[in-house]
Amino acid sequence: MTDLGWIEAVMVAARPQAVGALLRYFRDLDTAEEAFQEACLRALKAWPQNGPPRDPAAWLIFVGRNAALDDVRRRARQVALPDEAELSDLDDAESAAADRLDGAAYRDDILRLLFVCCHPGLPETQQIALALRVVCGLSVTQIARAFLVGEAAMEQRITRAKARIAAAGSGFETPGAAERDRRLGTVLAMVYLVFNEGYSARSDDPAARAQLAEEGLWLGRLLLRVFPSDPETMGLMALMLLQQARAPARFDAGGAIVLLEQQDRTRWSRPRIAEGLALIDKAVRHRRPGPYQVQAAIAALHARAARAEDTDWTQIDLLYANLERLQPSPVVTLNRAVAVAKVRGPAAALAMIEPLADRLQNYFYFHGVHGALLQQLDRLQDARTAFDRAIALAHTPAEAAHIRQHLDLLDRSA
Amino acid sequence: MLYAILCYNSEEAVGAWSKDYHDQTMTRLYAVNDKLAREGRLGPVARLLPTTAATTLRKGREEMVIDGPFAETKEQLLGFYVIDCASLDAAIETARELAKANPGTGSYEIRPVAQFNESRLPLQQKPAA
């Protein structure tokens, strides 16, 4: 199968464009997906013998559309008279032969697909599941495993999402410029959620985690090709690349969390860091800062420090202050406090996060940071209480084990 | 005679290679590189970052800096430089210098290099000036 590795990659790469075009013809997600599936089956037979077609996406669209049309006609003969308007319209499209897929059609088809998955009527969990299924082409089994839910439940989530989209009716039109800009934010948020599901270590299955983070990167690149001049899209892509560059160093051989400061930085992925930094350079030229760009700039300061002690915490503190203005949230303030502790000491940081205690009372990281600051200030009993609370809120054994290390240190120093 | 071999492919498809397929392909490519290097026939080799990381300087009466790769089909790739710059702005500045030296039509695509192997050819194989 090794020699056919390129076929699989070509299909994955062609998928968003091909399913997007098929959705334009059939205005139904299931039909578009089935047509693409059928085209892939035929490609697996034809390509190894004939070699790859010059434009694989156009080939898959053409073959998929004909296969689905045959199916529609066959069913129409059995059931009722064909819908004249529908068929003649499709015949016209067919006579255009393999679509000349120019830039505009490419862009519109992919946008349509992404916007359908991020339909405003769908809750986030359904948007993510649908995008992973329809755009990335993950199997229901893979998605279920990544989200730690049963396969039947995930199948139902996707079916429900499709039913909601079908019920909403519209959404298959090519969106106008204003609509595009408005909905781009939703798509960016969906992509970052996919990435974070993989990055946040909520699952203890490293393979499932890695896959979601990679799908997030893949979706980000897709989006960047459709919006090549949008600085926030560049910022999100840079942010994901710089975070994922650290993935090889984030867990030790036993699966335990390794904090940023203790990570072996020689294991960070240099090509990913280079790409992330290049995208920040491009984004900055637009002089339209946004939350993703600022977060990417923070990640870049970590990436640029060869050793943990070289980190420019003053600059990180300033960037977090910026982020607090752009996107105020207690979690941002909590992150800023980590930088403040480095620059102005633990007492200043503690004063900054204590007002957040109510709002973040169920947030694992709050109690972890709180405990660490109290420990630095030698308030050992209070630190112990905070760490106990963190363990109770830990999502994974790795998170709990990490906090337990702090407690062990407390025991040894007590 | 020196030849440049320019590598074209769909970056979406190459980006979708599985890790196994990527590693196997790179092993096969490195075997070719190694053979060429042993024979003294290998010059610099570069792998570029994706076109999403590219910026293009379009020449003309008013220069334009555009996000993304060079996309015209009426112009052809005629040559390339590999330069060391502290930032994208510095790279764009260098492209501007080239544009000033060679005004008129055309573009310079500025693409960060992901991997660079600076093998050198024996001197006698330099092309005649």
Side-chain angles (χ1 to χ4, degrees):
Chain A
M1 214 36 212
T2 306
D3 290 329
L4 299 182
W6 64 267
I7 295 190
E8 204 183 314
V10 163
M11 285 175 183
V12 171
R15 184 182 175 98
Q17 187 186 357
V19 176
L22 291 164
L23 185 61
R24 164 157 51 92
Y25 297 128
F26 298 111
R27 291 171 173 262
D28 176 69
L29 270 175
D30 282 331
T31 311
E33 277 192 285
E34 280 159 23
F36 180 75
Q37 207 56 46
E38 179 60 31
C40 285
L41 288 176
R42 293 189 193 185
L44 278 174
K45 280 189 202 133
W47 295 0
Q49 282 162 22
N50 308 341
R54 281 199 48 161
D55 186 340
W59 192 99
L60 291 166
I61 294 166
F62 187 61
V63 169
R65 191 177 60 197
N66 283 347
L69 275 177
D70 285 348
D71 206 38
V72 168
R73 290 208 181 94
R74 209 167 23 244
R75 261 182 285 172
R77 261 202 304 277
Q78 287 165 358
V79 184
L81 287 170
D83 179 331
E84 277 301 325
E86 184 192 15
L87 281 187
S88 64
D89 179 40
L90 289 167
D91 279 341
D92 281 347
E94 199 173 11
S95 68
D99 267 24
R100 285 188 49 78
L101 296 155
D102 58 19
Y106 172 85
R107 191 186 148 105
D108 287 348
D109 285 344
I110 289 179
L111 267 184
R112 179 180 302 106
L113 194 61
L114 288 169
F115 285 170
V116 162
C117 292
C118 292
H119 195 281
L122 297 179
E124 278 171 354
T125 49
Q126 288 185 12
Q127 292 182 3
I128 298 173
L130 199 58
L132 287 170
R133 177 71 205 98
V134 175
V135 188
C136 303
L138 262 57
S139 69
V140 173
T141 315
Q142 284 172 311
I143 305 170
R145 193 177 133 205
F147 286 92
L148 306 173
V149 301
E151 215 170 310
M154 186 50 77
E155 181 83 63
Q156 200 179 28
R157 191 183 293 180
I158 293 170
T159 309
R160 254 191 224 140
K162 284 180 178 168
R164 278 205 195 182
I165 288 168
S170 63
F172 297 123
E173 312 305 325
T174 304
E179 172 90 352
R180 270 179 204 181
D181 287 347
R182 198 164 53 74
R183 292 181 69 179
L184 173 59
T186 322
V187 181
L188 288 173
M190 181 277 285
V191 172
Y192 196 38
L193 276 172
V194 169
F195 176 80
N196 263 328
E197 278 294 333
Y199 190 76
S200 67
R202 198 152 298 193
S203 156
D204 263 341
D205 178 346
R209 229 169 26 216
Q211 175 151 37
L212 278 190
E214 292 299 326
E215 296 302 334
L217 287 173
W218 189 80
L219 285 167
R221 256 188 247 283
L222 181 69
L223 206 53
L224 198 49
R225 274 190 217 105
V226 182
F227 292 95
S229 298
D230 179 66
E232 274 293 86
T233 306
M234 296 175 199
L236 172 62
M237 190 67 213
L239 172 62
M240 294 191 296
L241 282 163
L242 292 168
Q243 288 184 331
Q244 187 63 4
R246 297 181 210 140
R250 290 180 66 220
F251 295 91
D252 69 14
I257 297 171
V258 183
L259 283 187
L260 187 54
E261 286 180 63
Q262 277 106 44
Q263 285 173 15
D264 174 1
R265 295 182 178 219
T266 60
R267 299 181 67 194
W268 289 359
S269 162
R270 289 294 135 191
R272 287 202 156 145
I273 290 176
E275 193 180 350
L277 296 178
L279 283 167
I280 292 178
D281 264 2
K282 282 183 66 168
V284 166
R285 292 179 47 81
H286 288 266
R287 304 196 186 291
R288 272 164 46 207
Y292 292 120
Q293 291 172 76
V294 175
Q295 291 174 81
I298 293 168
L301 286 172
H302 290 299
R304 285 203 164 103
R307 300 169 307 163
E309 52 269 40
D310 301 334
T311 311
D312 186 347
W313 289 107
T314 309
Q315 195 60 32
I316 291 177
D317 177 24
L318 287 173
L319 285 166
Y320 270 122
N322 225 322
L323 191 58
E324 276 185 310
R325 272 195 300 279
L326 286 167
Q327 197 179 58
S329 104
V331 173
V332 172
T333 306
L334 178 68
N335 286 329
R336 186 181 173 194
V338 175
V340 166
K342 302 277 182 195
V343 181
R344 281 178 267 153
L350 190 66
M352 195 167 203
I353 69 161
E354 274 178 338
L356 311 174
D358 277 353
R359 276 178 296 167
L360 295 181
Q361 60 174 319
N362 292 319
Y363 191 58
F364 166 77
Y365 292 101
F366 173 79
H367 299 285
V369 171
H370 194 202
L373 292 173
L374 290 165
Q375 191 178 356
Q376 286 175 52
L377 291 166
D378 267 334
R379 290 169 56 184
L380 300 186
Q381 197 45 51
D382 294 339
R384 189 181 304 275
T385 311
F387 286 138
D388 283 340
R389 182 89 185 103
I391 286 186
L393 291 167
H395 293 289
T396 64
E399 284 182 352
H402 174 69
I403 296 294
R404 237 170 251 124
Q405 284 179 357
H406 281 280
L407 284 172
D408 290 347
L409 275 178
L410 278 180
D411 288 340
R412 258 176 271 153
S413 59
Chain B
M1 186 72 189
L2 291 182
Y3 288 92
I5 296 183
L6 310 169
C7 315
Y8 291 90
N9 205 340
S10 152
E11 68 186 353
E12 283 119 311
V14 173
W17 282 355
S18 69
K19 188 172 182 314
D20 280 351
Y21 188 76
H22 177 271
D23 294 348
Q24 285 156 7
T25 307
M26 292 320 286
T27 306
R28 289 196 296 266
L29 286 172
Y30 287 142
V32 180
N33 289 13
D34 290 347
K35 185 188 66 126
L36 291 169
R38 276 197 305 277
E39 294 168 355
R41 299 198 295 134
L42 188 69
V45 183
R47 182 169 180 175
L48 307 178
L49 282 179
T51 57
T52 41
T55 307
T56 300
L57 179 84
R58 172 107 223 138
K59 288 198 254 179
R61 191 182 296 168
E62 297 218 349
E63 283 172 6
M64 277 209 298
V65 177
I66 305 157
D67 288 306
F70 175 75
E72 292 290 326
T73 50
K74 282 171 257 132
E75 291 162 346
Q76 288 73 41
L77 177 68
L78 302 185
F80 66 90
Y81 292 81
V82 177
I83 53 168
D84 190 2
C85 297
S87 67
L88 175 62
D89 282 336
I92 293 174
E93 211 33 63
T94 306
R96 285 210 174 96
E97 276 178 54
L98 296 172
K100 209 175 283 172
N102 177 13
T105 57
S107 296
Y108 295 109
E109 175 180 328
I110 300 153
R111 184 101 71 91
V113 172
Q115 282 170 33
F116 188 63
N117 170 353
E118 46 186 324
S119 313
R120 292 205 186 171
L121 289 163
L123 284 171
Q124 66 270 23
Q125 283 180 315
K126 267 194 182 167

